[in-house]
């Protein structure tokens, strides 16, 4: 019996708040060189439940930067990969509505849990969360401006009618010195505790996509 689905179920089922903290890379901070991103994924008590590592080539990071394709491997504290996030190279412009961002989340690796699909909109960042059958489940709608100078930036998680807000993905502003000199990311995901665990895994993938699309080269809004 594969233990990974059980591990994922136990850890994610009890969470309604997920904190994602990008680890500081000394080489990147000092020399400004782009390195593979590493993240700690924590519960509301600050306890690490997962560790995530971005897998791609230096060429992709340097040439494509926030548009780069990537695979993010998410493992539990025992080192077992439980979630895999796959982002192909696609556009990030309202001028090309036929080739916008689409991200696949697998959990366990090799089994599709769902998708994050960017929706065309001339003004607002919009995404649809889909289940493994590509059926729409939730919407994510960001603010008109994502610079977030000296304040948090919230992407609201909404029902499909876009009227009811059930949660949010927040980019936390954590202070001028930390942001300017390390450009690290700190995010929070708030969702209903009874949300399907597979959709919670997809929400983690959505958080990584939002980070790369809107905050990768922004000095976190400063």
């Amino acid at each position: 019996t594969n233990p990974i689905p059980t591990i994922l179920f136990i850890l994610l089922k009890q969470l309604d708040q997920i904190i994602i903290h990008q680890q500081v890379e000394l080489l990147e901070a000092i020399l400004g060189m782009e390195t593979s991103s590493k993240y700690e994924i924590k519960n509301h008590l600050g306890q690490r439940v997962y560790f995530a590592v971005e897998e791609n080539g230096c060429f992709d990071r340097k040439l494509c930067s926030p548009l780069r394709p990537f695979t993010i491997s998410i493992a539990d504290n025992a080192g077992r990969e439980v979630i895999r996030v796959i982002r192909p190279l696609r556009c990030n412009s309202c001028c090309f509505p036929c080739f916008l961002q689409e991200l696949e989340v697998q959990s366990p690796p090799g089994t599709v849990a769902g998708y994050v699909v960017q929706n065309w909109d001339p003004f607002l960042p919009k995404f649809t969360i889909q289940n493994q059958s590509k059926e729409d489940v939730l919407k994510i709608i960001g603010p008109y401006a994502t610079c977030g100078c000296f304040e948090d930036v919230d992407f609201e998680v909404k029902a499909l009618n876009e009227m009811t807000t059930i949660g949010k993905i927040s980019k936390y502003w954590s202070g001028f010195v930390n942001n300017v000199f390390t450009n690290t990311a700190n995010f929070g995901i708030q969702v209903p505790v009874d949300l399907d665990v597979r959709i919670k895994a997809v929400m983690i993938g959505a958080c990584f996509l939002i980070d790369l699309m809107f905050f990768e080269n922004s000095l976190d809004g400063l």
Side-chain angles (χ1 to χ4, degrees):
T1 302
N2 188 345
I4 291 178
T6 302
I7 295 166
L8 177 76
F9 182 84
I10 293 173
L11 291 178
L12 280 185
K13 182 174 175 59
Q14 58 190 335
L15 296 182
D16 60 358
Q17 183 176 8
I18 302 167
I19 299 168
I20 299 180
H21 171 67
Q22 185 178 6
Q23 292 195 317
V24 176
E25 292 291 337
L26 186 60
L27 187 64
E28 184 174 356
I30 296 175
L31 302 180
M33 297 176 61
E34 190 73 24
T35 60
S36 292
S37 298
K38 298 179 178 64
Y39 303 86
E40 286 187 314
I41 301 175
K42 304 176 181 179
N43 62 20
H44 69 285
L45 298 175
Q47 300 167 329
R48 191 177 85 178
V49 292
Y50 298 123
F51 183 76
V53 179
E54 177 188 356
E55 301 171 357
N56 60 23
C58 180
F59 179 80
D60 290 332
R61 293 193 300 272
K62 196 67 177 177
L63 180 65
C64 302
S65 195
L67 290 179
R68 64 183 181 262
F70 63 67
T71 297
I72 293 180
S73 176
I74 302 175
D76 64 11
N77 287 327
R80 294 168 293 202
E81 186 182 18
V82 294
I83 303 171
R84 185 177 297 162
V85 180
I86 301 171
R87 180 201 193 190
L89 180 64
R90 297 177 71 92
C91 293
N92 182 23
S93 171
C94 62
C95 298
F96 299 96
C98 297
F99 205 64
L100 296 176
Q101 294 294 309
E102 181 172 324
L103 180 147
E104 178 181 300
V105 178
Q106 300 177 355
S107 184
T111 301
V112 175
Y115 302 87
V116 184
V117 179
Q118 183 184 8
N119 305 130
W120 184 87
D121 188 279
F123 304 112
L124 298 175
K126 287 189 175 184
F127 303 87
T128 298
I129 300 296
Q130 298 178 332
N131 63 18
Q132 68 271 30
S133 301
K134 288 211 164 186
E135 298 168 332
D136 295 352
V137 177
L138 296 170
K139 295 283 187 177
I140 298 176
I141 302 178
Y144 176 75
T146 58
C147 62
C149 297
F150 305 105
E151 61 183 14
D152 297 346
V153 179
D154 292 332
F155 287 71
E156 294 186 330
V157 180
K158 293 179 173 287
L160 292 179
N161 61 14
E162 298 187 7
M163 300 297 293
T164 306
T165 300
I166 68 162
K168 62 182 179 179
I169 296 176
S170 300
K171 170 67 179 68
Y172 295 138
W173 182 79
S174 54
F176 179 83
V177 174
N178 178 66
N179 284 341
V180 168
F181 289 102
T182 65
N183 196 25
T184 57
N186 293 282
F187 284 88
I189 302 172
Q190 295 182 33
V191 292
V193 69
D194 60 351
L195 186 67
D196 188 316
V197 291
R198 290 168 295 186
I199 300 302
K200 288 184 183 181
V202 176
M203 294 296 296
I204 293 174
C207 187
F208 288 130
L209 180 60
I210 288 170
D211 179 23
L212 266 293
M213 288 181 65
F214 300 103
F215 303 105
E216 174 74 4
N217 292 327
S218 66
L219 288 180
D220 290 345
L222 295 179

